[in-house]
Amino acid sequence: MRTLVILMLLAVLVMAATCYESRESMESHEYLNPFISRRRASDFIQADTRLGAISQERIRERTKAAYERQREICEDYYPCELYAFRHGYPAAYKHYFGRRR
């Protein structure tokens, strides 16, 4: 019985020594709150450049090049798309839609 008590005390001491939270681990802010807000997560990106990039992307979406518009028109029409796989989109657009103008 006496050895059981000594082994239990020894086990408790080993557990306390290995599971001790050091001061260094408590210094981290992530210990108390592991998640950060969206604002803090994207602080390194300047707001002006993000808004500028978004507006430039919107402008590019509105003003597409002529070949891009032709390609989209051709992709919507299945025979034109099949023709484009063999001969290319400019030739397919000219073949199916070039005579209409």
Side-chain angles (χ1 to χ4, degrees):
M1 183 71 171
R2 186 174 182 178
T3 56
L4 184 63
V5 171
I6 291 173
L7 286 175
M8 286 287 272
L9 285 174
L10 189 59
V12 168
L13 286 174
V14 168
M15 186 178 71
T18 57
C19 297
Y20 171 71
E21 287 280 339
S22 66
R23 186 176 174 320
E24 287 84 20
S25 66
M26 298 294 265
E27 287 177 355
S28 173
H29 299 291
E30 296 160 355
Y31 178 75
L32 298 175
N33 188 8
F35 302 105
I36 59 176
S37 69
R38 289 182 184 180
R39 176 173 285 169
R40 285 197 53 220
S42 61
D43 274 345
F44 64 93
I45 298 175
Q46 298 296 325
D48 297 334
T49 58
R50 282 188 312 186
L51 293 176
I54 290 171
S55 65
Q56 287 295 325
E57 182 179 345
R58 296 295 178 247
I59 289 171
R60 272 180 273 159
E61 285 177 358
R62 278 185 273 159
T63 57
K64 293 182 181 175
Y67 64 86
E68 182 66 26
R69 280 185 266 128
Q70 291 174 358
R71 182 180 179 134
E72 288 178 358
I73 290 169
C74 192
E75 285 176 347
D76 290 339
Y77 186 56
Y78 188 69
C80 182
E81 187 175 16
L82 291 177
Y83 192 88
F85 286 143
R86 179 165 290 204
H87 302 286
Y89 280 101
Y93 183 82
K94 186 184 291 183
H95 178 76
Y96 283 100
F97 301 106
R99 288 175 272 159
R100 292 183 182 177
R101 291 190 174 192

